[in-house]
Amino acid sequence: MNSNRLSRAFYAVVREKFGIPSQLTCSLFRQVTASYKTLKALGKWDLCIYKRPTIPLTHERDFARNKKGVTVLGKPVVLQHPNIPATGWKDSKVKRVGKVWYLCLAHEVEIVEPKTEGCIVGVDFGIKRLMVATNSANNRTFFFKGGMENHRRSCIRRERAAIQSVGTRSARRLLRRMSGHEAAVTVTLLHRASKKLVAYAVANDARTICLENLGNIRDSSLSKGKDLRSKVHRWPYAQGQFFVTYKAAAVGIGVEMVDPRNTSRGCSECGFVSASNRKGLHFCCQKCGQKDDADRQASKNIRLRSVVAAHCASATRNIQTLESSELPISHLECSVTRHAGCGVGSGSIPAL
């Protein structure tokens, strides 16, 4: 885990075997230790396997930017990207994918101060619809379906299954070439969705994005059918929430996690919770008769739970920092009572 100790032990061997420059050899040791530190931070511990050729580069030594342009390893290159920053460059790497080499440029960005005023955005993550969001400032709703990318993922899985069933040597070579295709499509889908969600939050002057804490969703699907269980296990909710979190932090918007229990079954108007309220993507409250889109209704409940939790934690009962300064305290107390059965702990109610 220490690049200096690793360098002292294997520096001469690596220089002699590969014949690479001294500074680049030191960069290789730093990259290896950084990979294992990342695995340790993620709670994993396995052998690092670098499948594609990668060259670590040090800023101002291996690559730099001057009046003449950009140089990489002493040779001028043309960067074909519309949003390359002018300053703040850090150590990066050159990576080969197929026959094309890519410069993976790392640079520093300034994180703005978290907002203390603004509306709250509630986000419902789903399988059919990746993200559905509402806000407390207006009635605008954000929908991201992602059906085309999900269809491409399904096609890749079926194609891999058909090739794997052949079992020949050429089939295994083809599978190796196809490795990572589904992951690349998934990452592209999540980046598109998270960017549009954060843009929606910025456009509505939001200060907080509320997400569902879905940490146990895969355990709850074990008793379901094979098809649903397979879809839930391939559902990239954690990666999507991670993308939303760091993109929101870059623009000063905080992220809050709430209990997801019964968010799509509860009514945001009267608080009635029943499985019969929802039929597919349609929601109709069996008590007050409210009709709405099921995912939109869930995003409203997620947003309300954030307000209720903030109200329960407020000792001074100052509602200026809650969802809306125009909400009377009696309405919030009523919301606590209605939504206590939808996931807010009953132990917090006596504190009101």
Side-chain angles (χ1 to χ4, degrees):
M1 302 295 288
N2 187 298
S3 61
N4 292 330
R5 294 178 59 186
L6 193 65
S7 177
R8 286 195 296 267
F10 297 99
Y11 176 83
V13 177
V14 173
R15 285 291 308 275
E16 181 180 356
K17 183 174 182 179
F18 298 103
I20 57 178
S22 59
Q23 295 296 332
L24 189 57
T25 304
C26 297
S27 298
L28 290 175
F29 291 125
R30 287 196 295 268
Q31 181 177 350
V32 170
T33 54
S35 299
Y36 281 102
K37 288 179 181 179
T38 301
L39 288 176
K40 184 177 180 181
L42 295 175
K44 303 176 182 178
W45 191 256
D46 200 357
L47 179 65
C48 286
I49 300 176
Y50 299 92
K51 296 183 179 180
R52 296 184 177 91
T54 303
I55 302 176
L57 303 178
T58 301
H59 184 228
E60 299 294 350
R61 189 195 70 204
D62 300 320
F63 76 102
R65 187 172 192 167
N66 50 36
K67 296 181 180 179
K68 297 182 180 180
V70 179
T71 58
V72 176
L73 298 176
K75 296 182 179 181
V77 296
V78 178
L79 302 183
Q80 299 176 351
H81 195 280
N83 300 317
I84 296 177
T87 58
W89 291 19
K90 295 296 180 182
D91 292 358
S92 303
K93 59 184 177 181
V94 174
K95 185 177 182 179
R96 191 180 75 182
V97 180
K99 296 182 179 180
V100 182
W101 287 88
Y102 292 91
L103 172 62
C104 302
L105 178 63
H107 66 96
E108 284 186 341
V109 295
E110 293 185 2
I111 302 298
V112 300
E113 292 294 329
K115 295 182 180 180
T116 58
E117 296 180 354
C119 68
I120 298 176
V121 174
V123 184
D124 177 62
F125 273 77
I127 297 177
K128 292 183 179 180
R129 294 169 176 169
L130 189 61
M131 297 180 189
V132 177
T134 58
N135 68 88
S136 58
N138 51 58
N139 292 325
R140 297 174 184 171
T141 305
F142 169 79
F143 287 96
F144 190 91
K145 298 180 181 180
M148 183 178 296
E149 283 79 5
N150 284 326
H151 177 68
R152 288 177 60 193
R153 292 177 60 199
S154 300
C155 291
I156 292 172
R157 285 193 299 271
R158 287 196 296 267
E159 186 177 0
R160 286 181 58 88
I163 296 172
Q164 191 172 8
S165 63
V166 176
T168 61
R169 183 180 300 178
S170 60
R172 289 192 292 269
R173 287 199 300 266
L174 180 57
L175 286 175
R176 283 195 294 269
R177 290 198 299 270
M178 291 181 61
S179 64
H181 284 195
E182 183 180 354
V185 172
T186 303
V187 169
T188 302
L189 168 68
L190 295 177
H191 275 303
R192 288 180 54 203
S194 57
K195 285 180 180 179
K196 291 186 177 181
L197 175 63
V198 173
Y200 167 82
V202 172
N204 291 283
D205 194 24
R207 75 171 190 276
T208 304
I209 296 177
C210 296
L211 306 176
E212 300 171 283
N213 185 4
L214 299 171
N216 297 324
I217 190 68
R218 290 192 172 96
D219 295 336
S220 62
S221 67
L222 295 178
S223 59
K224 307 297 182 181
K226 180 179 179 180
D227 184 56
L228 179 60
R229 185 170 64 248
S230 177
K231 289 181 179 179
V232 171
H233 277 260
R234 293 194 307 269
W235 182 28
Y237 71 89
Q239 192 175 20
Q241 291 181 344
F242 170 71
F243 287 172
V244 171
T245 300
Y246 83 78
K247 286 181 173 65
V251 293
I253 299 177
V255 174
E256 182 180 347
M257 309 297 289
V258 299
D259 190 349
R261 183 177 46 176
N262 291 329
T263 51
S264 61
R265 297 179 176 181
C267 178
S268 61
E269 293 296 326
C270 67
F272 178 70
V273 179
S274 175
S276 59
N277 286 346
R278 176 171 183 173
K279 293 183 179 180
L281 296 177
H282 301 283
F283 180 90
C284 181
C285 180
Q286 302 300 308
K287 185 175 181 180
C288 68
Q290 181 195 194
K291 294 183 179 180
D292 200 352
D293 182 87
D295 293 337
R296 174 184 165 88
Q297 190 68 204
S299 66
K300 290 181 180 179
N301 287 327
I302 293 168
R303 194 181 71 220
L304 285 173
R305 288 188 184 181
S306 172
V307 180
V308 171
H311 179 61
C312 292
S314 176
T316 60
R317 296 190 178 186
N318 181 9
I319 62 173
Q320 298 299 323
T321 60
L322 298 181
E323 181 177 13
S324 173
S325 59
E326 298 178 357
L327 283 176
I329 195 71
S330 59
H331 181 80
L332 287 176
E333 290 176 351
C334 182
S335 296
V336 173
T337 305
R338 292 201 318 258
H339 292 276
C342 303
V344 177
S346 58
S348 60
I349 295 179
L352 290 177

